[in-house]
Amino acid sequence: MKRILIIDDAATVRLYHRQILEKAGYLVEEAFNGLEALEKALQAPFDLYLVDINTPKLDGFGFLRELRSQPITQTPAIMISTMAEERDRQQAAAAGANDYLVKPVRPEQLLAHVRPLLGEVST
Amino acid sequence: MNPLLTQFLSEARDFLQSIAEKLMQLESAPNDNEAMNELFRAVHTLKGNSGLFDFPEMTRVLHAGEDLLDAVREERLAYSRALADQLLDAMDFVGMLCDEIESRGAIGAQHASVGAELAAALREFMTSDSDSAPDAAPAAPADLARAVASNTPDSIFLAPPAEELLAIPEDIRRAAWQRAHDGASLYWLCYTPDEQCFFQGEDPFFLAQQTPGLLWGRITAREAWPPLAELDAYRCLLRFDLLLAITRAEIDQHFRYVPEQLTLTPLPALALVLPVGDGKDSAEGEDFASAALHQLETGSLDALRHATTVMLELASPQRWLASALRWLLLLLDTHAARGAVRLLLESIRDGATPDWRQSGTADAAAQATPAPPHGDPDTPAALLPRANEVAWEILAWQGEVLAQASRVAALPGHLHAAATTLRNCLRALGRPDDTRRVDEALNEALATSSAAPLAACLQRFLAEAGATAAAPVAATAAAPASSPVATTASDGEGEPRFGRRADDLLPGSRTLKVDQAKIDRLMNLIGEMVVAKNALPYLAARAESGSSAREMAREIKAQHAVINRIAEEMHDAIMQVRMLPVSFVFQRFPRLVRDISRKLGKEVSLVVEGEDTEADKNVIEALADPLVHIVRNSLDHGLENPQERIAAGKAAAGRIALTARQEADRVLIEVRDDGRGIDPAHIRRKAVEKGIIDADTAHRISDQEAINLVFAAGFSTAEQVSDLSGRGVGMDVVRDALEKVSGTVTLESEVGVGTCLRLSLPLSMAVNQVMVIESDGQAFGVAMDCVVETVRLPRSSVHTIKDSLAAVLRGRIVPLRPLNTLLGIEAPPLCNEADELAVLIVRHGSDNVGVIVDDFRQTCDVILKPLDGILDALPGYSGSALMGDGSVLLVLNLKELI
Amino acid sequence: MALQFVDSCAHFVDTVGVEEAEVLLDWLQKTPDAVIDFGPCTHVHPANLQVLMAANASVRAWPAETRLADWLRPLFPTPEPTVAPAPKRKRRKAA
């Protein structure tokens, strides 16, 4: 079973994403902020990270930069943000996000991105 | 459902309730200005709130209601029963939308047309009734909205004239006929975008192109083009005519943001049966048609069909006759009604364009619309995202990731992550063999510490894929072979490119989040309480066994002290549970500031500090509304647009700082902007214009006093009506709302430098310290926080100045109000033996007022319960409290009374 | 660059956004013999379209994107009118 880590400080957003992903058969864990996420990732890397940009203590950019400089298995990360400007996407790419979604993310849209990122052939 | 939405809904219901009450109240007392103002404010605030979400249907109706009430308030329009009915209808609609949001998390698209109709009906009052109003509100013509809403069979002959339909190529009309035969509904849609729409970032062409079920479309100019030198490139003068095979709901959904810009006509398929070509009037046509009509009458349809086929082979395809025959064949093949076939034959015989609007053929036309073979015309096209496209998109995006990666320290991590992404996407695309090439490129990239090899590898994939990736897209485009504007019905795909979507609202439940530690503390206290309680039977046993009264008293007192401590701590613990961080309110601002500043074309950076500061739930909730008003005011009127700012030597982006902090037992909230500030001279002039002060006073008052006039009821400096801040409702509402929770607001402003509003609120509201006073033999409570002092004044020192009482206290004149008078009690105030009156000096705004009571009693802590039931409507009371002796104390709201 | 001017020809490339309309309007006023090349264009913001319509601009090449081309063709005169072959085929089939 593929493991996905949701990093978001908003409990409702975490719940929302968790419900979509669990329904689709993924194992989901949550982190409240970048620090907590990093701790979890260092224990056992996930197959995919859903990273909210604005989290307290360590934000999404910071988390990705830290994650990408760790000697662990590197896996894809989706940055999720309310900003849709090209500049924001570039920043996300620079921090090491492999995909970018603009909130609010619709369930089928989320899955359409998660599946190929996990290497799953779409049906 | 998310907490923000939950809060919005509960607030909306309160507003709707009060709007309904006020409307009815005004019916019996139409001149009640206070009620009128409150009604207007409620609608205004509700409209503003709805604008925070994507509920265009709701905002539209509320905006129309607000404009209407504004006209009534300014006496441009008389209040009437019919007007109230219409408003109540509109509010019911809004309430219904709230229910729908609560149960489904979104508003169904089917409401857009009802919303447009209600809004139009409200606006109709203004246009029909107010000829005197020169600046009639931007009226959406009611008949337009009606046309949108009309989907009834009798509108069948609203179909556009044949000349318009002839613009559609024959093969597309034939395809449309076929679609109708297969059960689709056809619509003719004229989409006339707002002239200002380009400024709002809209792209009507894109919207039109993306319409689901699009068979054909064209762009036309609304008016003759001016010479280029006079052309305004950004005033939209285009109109889009679309032929659609679609359900009504899909249209509503697709155009939900602009329903008032549509004229939608259900199109009977028969209206499309229009032959084209030259040589309309031909002898062979006439001969053929006469014979064919005979065959039709005798029911020999097979013979008719055969004759038609033969004739068609003879006729030159470009000729009008050939076109007519092709239609005839199609009608026969799709088993069209006999009346329709006859009309077409007659028109061939007469060499005339068939007139399907002709009155006698209405029935024929209705029947002639091909019957769907299976009964369900509403089967929506599958709108699933095309997974392969997403995978290609992600793949392509890694190019960007890799380009950026060369500039970062953690290159190997980036390379590995990008490589994994590439491999996964390739697998998802069914090309697992290609992952080896990724591995090779990755190794090379790692060896050379450069992203280039991996990027080059990706480029090769993309180049190779160019042909294959385009293939499926081309295939879908080719599907409805004859349509020049093929339909792909894919507006749901990908990012919101031309406007955000917030259709997906978060699920969840309405709960209060409490820190675990707070609950643990309560648990511990309950434990202590149980122990303390167990000591009581022991005490009782001691009393029975005949301990001395003195000893018993001592032990009971000791036990009381224990229980008292626990009770106090429990109280404190519960208060802690009720504490919420101000972030509960602050969280809406980043979005609000972003959206509003965008709409206004301003650049604004929002700084939020101290969002962890906590206060009682009631206080936090009371804070929300005023704060939204204040921030909106700053955005709308405080901050200048970038050009003005640069001209003034400021940074282009304005700044709004929202800070919260605790000071002693108050929460201080500060909203500071670096905008243009408030010009006292402007305020003076406005205040005089509005009759709030006279010219003399305007000259006399200080600048600060002038600025404070913005808090006066009915004052507003807003000169233009906007969707956001609007007019009239402003600082007076803020002040009133804050005073209700014992808060205060102060304003400082310097022209050209900025404005700062300071809100001060109590931390907690649950426990109140009240002073008990007596008047006419009854006891009342008065909240201590408004009591300045208590004095006893000799009756002789009370003077009568212009019908009202006053006294000089420490060199200042203090107006006096007997409480009995305020409460409508006839009895005169009582004096004590020394002929002194008991006067409670209370704070009233920035002044002090003396309230004459009969006597003072003690102060005590009470838990204030608001009055409910029929008592709720009583003004002048904050609530009731249970006293230690079991009696009920009514607590006065002196602010309202005075 | 979404909009490129080469001599008296304006080349529309990929997506041509709303911000180009003003530039285009200026250029058209200065270029009486202007022609338009839509070849690699995938989307035109309608502000540009109405500027072109008002100028009655001549089109040298239609978009390779056929759907877009179908929208644009009726709006502008062409130096050499193109014939759409599709209807003919259809007609034969119907016959």
Side-chain angles (χ1 to χ4, degrees), chain B residues 306-329:
Chain B
H306 181 72
T308 311
T309 318
V310 173
M311 191 68 196
L312 190 53
E313 278 165 10
L314 293 172
S316 154
Q318 313 296 345
R319 312 267 300 169
W320 186 86
L321 178 60
S323 173
L325 291 171
R326 284 193 293 272
W327 277 114
L328 181 57
L329 210 53

Side-chain angles (χ1 to χ4, degrees), chain B residues 742 765 767-773 780-789 840-843 859-860 862 864 878-879 889-895:
Chain B
S742 308
M765 299 202 316
V767 168
N768 295 62
Q769 207 185 11
V770 298
M771 166 172 261
V772 182
I773 48 113
F780 296 98
V782 173
M784 273 303 275
D785 56 3
C786 70
V787 176
V788 181
E789 60 177 329
L840 202 58
I841 306 294
V842 296
R843 212 175 288 125
T859 64
C860 57
V862 295
L864 198 58
S878 311
L889 181 74
L890 279 172
V891 180
L892 299 171
N893 182 345
L894 284 179
K895 286 191 179 107

Side-chain angles (χ1 to χ4, degrees), chain A:
Chain A
M1 224 169 160
K2 296 278 169 53
R3 294 169 67 243
I4 303 179
L5 182 64
I6 300 172
I7 302 128
D8 202 312
D9 55 333
T12 39
V13 176
R14 293 200 302 268
L15 181 67
Y16 174 69
H17 287 152
R18 171 190 276 278
Q19 285 173 343
I20 299 167
L21 294 170
E22 282 185 345
K23 224 168 151 189
Y26 300 109
L27 209 61
V28 178
E29 284 195 43
E30 298 178 12
F32 172 75
N33 61 33
L35 275 184
E36 199 187 315
L38 201 61
E39 240 168 69
K40 293 198 171 185
L42 288 177
Q43 281 167 17
F46 291 79
D47 297 298
L48 178 67
Y49 302 88
L50 298 191
V51 189
D52 176 47
I53 287 189
N54 292 310
T55 56
K57 289 191 183 157
L58 185 61
D59 70 5
F61 293 121
F63 163 71
L64 277 175
R65 279 189 203 103
E66 284 298 319
L67 181 80
R68 294 297 184 227
S69 52
Q70 299 296 325
I72 55 167
T73 314
Q74 295 293 347
T75 47
I78 309 180
M79 188 74 107
I80 300 185
S81 159
T82 50
M83 277 145 332
E85 303 290 327
E86 191 55 31
R87 206 185 36 201
D88 306 316
R89 293 168 182 273
Q90 306 256 341
Q91 274 179 4
N98 304 95
D99 198 2
Y100 191 92
L101 286 172
V102 179
K103 281 183 186 178
V105 183
R106 286 167 297 112
E108 68 273 25
Q109 190 191 1
L110 181 65
L111 292 175
H113 282 252
V114 164
R115 287 197 180 113
L117 281 167
L118 291 172
E120 292 168 8
V121 180
S122 58
T123 44

Side-chain angles (χ1 to χ4, degrees), chain B residues 129-147:
Chain B
D129 237 44
S130 61
D131 298 334
S132 57
D135 58 337
D143 51 349
L144 187 69
R146 291 258 167 68

